[in-house]
Amino acid sequence: EPDVTIVSGLKDTVVAEGDDVTFRCQVSHENARDVEWKLQDVALQNNEMNEISVERGKVHALTLRKVTEQDIGTITFRVGPHTSTA
């Protein structure tokens, strides 16, 4: 199985309280497994506040809904041994 690497990493983003924000990270291969999103070292799950999806097979996206001050911090995307932060 080929090693999946990060082709295009996360971008730092400033967003107003109450707005939604989306982070995207492009990987080298489709159907990447062992993928994880974190906010301040806390693993995120797909739920009503966090939408985790894959666009066009290789672009992994995380949307945080109606962000608050508690959402300030570092977002981390990990695939295998590779990480990107914003």
Side-chain angles (χ1 to χ4, degrees):
E1 187 169 308
D3 188 29
V4 177
T5 60
I6 295 173
V7 176
S8 175
L10 299 176
K11 307 275 189 288
D12 289 341
T13 305
V14 176
V15 63
E17 192 168 14
D19 286 351
D20 295 350
V21 61
T22 300
F23 296 91
R24 289 184 176 82
C25 200
Q26 183 176 348
V27 299
S28 57
H29 296 78
E30 291 187 9
N31 305 318
R33 292 194 298 269
D34 194 23
V35 169
E36 183 177 50
W37 287 97
K38 288 184 175 182
L39 172 59
Q40 295 292 65
D41 287 333
V42 176
L44 298 175
Q45 305 298 322
N46 201 11
N47 58 36
E48 67 277 354
M49 297 306 292
N50 312 314
E51 182 184 332
I52 297 171
S53 60
V54 180
E55 304 166 353
R56 299 184 304 282
K58 296 181 183 178
V59 178
H60 291 256
L62 166 68
T63 300
L64 301 178
R65 304 257 181 240
K66 297 182 176 53
V67 296
T68 67
E69 271 189 35
Q70 285 71 42
D71 295 318
I72 292 172
T74 302
I75 293 284
T76 304
F77 173 82
R78 181 187 61 77
V79 58
H82 307 286
T83 59
S84 178
T85 59

